[in-house]
Amino acid sequence: MADTGSQAGIGGEIYALAAELYPICRSITGDGVRRTLGILGRHLDLTVHEVPSGTPVFDWTVPREWNIRDAYIANAAGERVVDFRAHSLHVLNYSVPVRRTMPLAELKAHIHTLPDQPELIPYRTSYYAERWGFCMSHNALAALPDGMYEAVIDAALTDGHLSYGEYLHRGEREDEFLLSAHICHPSLANDNCSGLALLALLAKHLAGRKTRLSYRFLFAPGTIGAITWLARNEAQAHRIKHGLTVSCVGDGGGPTYKKSRRGNAMIDRAMSHVLRHAAPAPDIIDFFPYGYDERQYCSPGFNLPVGMFQRSQFGTFPEYHTSADNLDFIRPEHLAASFAMITAAIDIVEHDGRYLNLSPKCEPQLGRRGLYGAIGGDKDAAAKNMAMLWVLNLSDGEHSLLDIAERAGLPFAVVLATARLLEEHGLLAPLREDPLERLEL
Ligand code: ZN
C-alpha cells in the first residue's frame, strides 16, 4: 500500500464513476439503490443484501420500499413546470403518491425552495412522516402565474426490501477495517456519489493486494442501513478495529476528520497524522453524536473505533444539500487527494510496529555504512539524516513507528522507509510482536 505512485489516474476514475451514479434517484430503499449497487458491483465483488420491510432492527423497523416512476407539476395547458425527469431533487424524497389539481396558493404548502439561494433546488426528505412535496428554485416558483396546477407523484410505497451492498477483502487477520458510505442520497455529487465511487475503487485497488487486516466495505442507506447492518452483525462487530465513514470527498475544502467516540483509537491517531501532513490547516474535530453513520457505529452499545472523513465538513458549504452539489462541484484532483489520504491511513494501520536499535550505545557510525548524506546544504539528505537519527534514537522497544513519526514531525511513510533501510543495514530489527495485538490495548 505504500506505493501511491500509480494513482495519477485514480481521480479521473473516481470522478467518472461518481458521474455515472449522479443522475440516479436514490432513497433509503428502492430500485435507485439497487441500480447504484449494480454499477458499483462492476468494480468489486459486491454482495447485495435484501432485508424485508417490517424487520425489526434494534429500536427501528425496516421501512417500506419507495419506488418512483415520474413526478411533475403541470399548468392548465398541460406543460410541465416542474419535472422530476429533469432533476431527481425536484421531488420530496420518499413522498407518498399524489395526483391532484389545485390552485397555486394551495400547492405552495407542498413546495420547498431556498429563498436565500434562489437559483438552487433544495434536497428534502420525508422518511418517517407521510407527506408529499416538490422542491424547486425560488426564482422558478416566483415566476409561476396564479392558476390551477396538477401535482403528480407517481410513486409507490410498498412492502419490499431495504438493500445494501457489502464486500470483504480478506487479509491475514480477521480483524477488520470498516469503510462505510451512505447510498441514500439522490443527485448530489459530493454527498455522496464521491464517497461511493472512492470506496468502490479503493476496494478494487485492495483486491489484488495482500494485507494484514481484512477490509469491509459497506454501501448502505444512511442511519437505517447502518442500524440494519449492526443488528444483523452484532456478534461480529467486535472484529472492527478501525473504521471510517466516507462522504463529501470530492471538493477542495478541509480535509476534515471527526474522531471516533473513543477519541484516542488508532484510527484517530492515524487520520490526524495523515491530515496534518496532507494540508496546512486540517479540521480535526472531536466526536459529537450527529453527522453520518459513525453515529450508529459509535453508539454506546457498540462504541466502535470509527471516525468520519470528509473534505469540507457537511453543512458548512453553500452547495450542501442543494442542486449546486453537482458534477462541477467535485474535481478529479480532490478525489485523488482524498483517496491518497485514506490509503496513507491504511498504510499506517498495516505497517505500524516497534523496532529495536541493535547498536544503541551511542550513535552508530552511519557514514561508514554509506547511510549518512554528508553533502552540505542538500535539504533532502538532511531530512533523511534526521529521520535516521529519530528512528534510531526512539527504537528502544517502547515507541512504534507512528509514535516516532508524531514526535519527529515526519510523515509516517518517511519513518517506515527509514526503518526498513536501517533494518537492511543491520542496525534495526522489528520486535517480533504482533503489532495488531498492541493496537487493541
Ligand atoms: Zn447528506
Side-chain angles (χ1 to χ4, degrees), residues 72-283:
Y72 60 88
I73 298 172
N75 62 19
E79 298 157 337
R80 293 184 177 211
V81 297
V82 175
D83 189 353
F84 166 74
R85 289 172 182 169
H87 206 304
S88 75
L89 291 181
H90 274 315
V91 72
L92 175 73
N93 199 280
Y94 212 73
S95 272
V96 296
V98 69
R99 186 178 293 271
R100 276 168 58 187
T101 300
M102 63 185 78
L104 180 62
E106 191 182 328
L107 181 57
K108 276 182 175 171
H110 296 275
I111 294 178
H112 305 267
T113 67
L114 293 168
D116 295 338
Q117 295 171 293
E119 302 286 329
L120 306 182
I121 309 166
Y123 164 54
R124 293 282 185 274
T125 65
S126 184
Y127 297 141
Y128 302 104
E130 287 211 356
R131 288 190 298 168
W132 63 269
F134 290 88
C135 301
M136 62 192 294
S137 80
H138 200 70
N139 288 346
L141 176 63
L144 286 183
D146 277 333
M148 297 298 284
Y149 289 87
E150 185 189 21
V152 174
I153 296 176
D154 181 9
L157 266 168
T158 51
D159 281 342
H161 295 83
L162 176 149
S163 319
Y164 67 87
E166 193 173 21
Y167 166 68
L168 182 67
H169 167 78
R170 287 190 192 282
E172 291 166 24
R173 307 271 316 230
E174 281 198 333
D175 292 338
E176 292 178 7
F177 191 136
L178 174 70
L179 293 140
S180 174
H182 63 276
I183 200 169
C184 50
H185 286 28
S187 302
L188 296 163
N190 204 32
D191 180 20
N192 191 26
C193 296
S194 70
L196 297 171
L198 186 151
L199 289 191
L201 291 170
L202 176 62
K204 188 179 186 177
H205 169 86
L206 278 174
R209 295 181 184 232
K210 282 195 167 177
T211 57
R212 201 153 56 174
L213 288 162
S214 296
Y215 291 79
R216 184 175 298 279
F217 292 80
L218 187 58
F219 305 93
T223 307
I224 190 66
I227 292 170
T228 300
W229 187 87
L230 286 164
R232 288 161 55 100
N233 295 276
E234 188 175 359
Q236 295 95 280
H238 68 275
R239 288 182 190 157
I240 295 169
K241 305 301 185 204
H242 321 281
L244 289 173
T245 61
V246 176
S247 57
C248 302
V249 285
D251 70 285
T256 303
Y257 176 69
K258 174 183 153 186
K259 291 179 186 176
S260 73
R261 182 175 181 271
R262 298 183 186 187
N264 60 352
M266 183 66 183
I267 189 67
D268 300 324
R269 291 183 62 204
M271 285 301 289
S272 301
H273 176 79
V274 167
L275 265 57
R276 285 191 186 110
H277 285 277
D283 289 319

